[in-house]
Amino acid sequence: MDLEKHPAAPAVPAVPPAGLRASDADRDRIAQLLADALAEGRLTAEEHSDRLDTLYAVKTVGELDVLVRDLPAAHAGAWLPATGAPPAPVVPVGGSVGAEAETVLAVCSSATRKGRWRPGALIRAVSVLGDVSLDLTEAVFEQRVTEINVSCVLGNVEIVVPENVTLRGYGGGVLGNFEVTDEGVAAADPQAPVVIVRGFALLGNIEARPKRGARVTDLAAKRHERLDG
């Protein structure tokens, strides 16, 4: 009889079934893959918008897998919902690993960003008994996808964007209001930025809307002008 002690074999992680309920972290990783695909030109603005809408409607990891199955990042292991592999680092939509968020804070006060400012890929807006105004109609966008995360308690947050951007919202409120309006004042420009607003309002108000007559310049055209110049 062999009395020598042998180290136990490492446990094999259970393989999550395709029907497993998706977590918020799972959705964030898929959103990042879609944002990267949009920036690389693998998806059109319309395709990105459709998949993003589906992303927050589906329930399982198997359904999330379908959204990125034709993208190279999924085959490289960035998203492996059915392998039990460690998840990829959560990256802000449109940003990069380690990217710092710009924070706009109003506590019993007001905070405003407007004019020719440069919004980062990730913005955090926090309003506690205060007012936050983010006016992106004249902003200089340096990335295709900008995400704004909003927390509002007994306050008010207003976000205004150019009429030709793709505006998407995901959030809600308790005794409060979360409203992201895509009024269709102009057809979304495939080359214009995508602005995603996520938020939660407690006894407060969060509103995002396009402004008529305000349009952002074609980012691709700007790049070509700089290269040609």
Side-chain angles (χ1 to χ4, degrees), residues 16 58 60 78 85 88 102 105 113 133 167 176 183 194 196 204 208 218 221:
V58 300
T60 67
E102 176 182 357
L105 175 66
R113 295 288 188 277
S133 175
L167 179 62
E183 299 174 341
V194 177
I196 300 171
D218 187 328

Side-chain angles (χ1 to χ4, degrees), residues 46-157:
E46 183 177 359
E47 289 170 335
H48 175 265
S49 177
D50 290 342
R51 294 193 191 198
L52 203 60
D53 286 341
T54 303
L55 169 63
Y56 292 96
V58 300
K59 303 296 184 183
T60 67
V61 294
E63 292 171 309
L64 294 183
D65 181 51
V66 173
L67 296 176
V68 296
R69 189 171 293 168
D70 58 347
L71 301 178
H75 297 281
W79 165 250
L80 298 173
T83 63
V90 177
V91 179
V93 174
S96 58
V97 175
E100 295 185 0
E102 176 182 357
T103 300
V104 182
L105 175 66
V107 178
C108 297
S109 62
S110 62
T112 302
R113 295 288 188 277
K114 64 180 180 178
R116 301 289 290 178
W117 65 297
R118 298 177 183 272
L122 178 62
I123 301 171
R124 291 194 179 97
V126 181
S127 171
V128 180
L129 288 167
D131 295 308
V132 173
S133 175
L134 302 178
D135 187 340
L136 299 166
T137 55
E138 297 181 15
V140 179
F141 290 90
E142 297 183 330
Q143 63 280 326
R144 290 294 304 275
V145 181
T146 297
E147 179 176 333
I148 304 174
N149 291 341
V150 183
S151 299
C152 181
V153 179
L154 291 166
N156 181 68
V157 177

Side-chain angles (χ1 to χ4, degrees), residues 163 165-168 180-186 208-210:
E163 66 177 357
V165 306
T166 298
L167 179 62
R168 290 289 178 266
V180 175
T181 305
D182 185 357
E183 299 174 341
V185 294
R209 57 181 174 81

Side-chain angles (χ1 to χ4, degrees), residues 189-207:
D189 186 342
Q191 299 300 328
V194 177
V195 175
I196 300 171
V197 180
R198 307 178 195 272
F200 178 78
L202 174 62
L203 293 167
N205 178 65
I206 300 172
E207 180 183 0

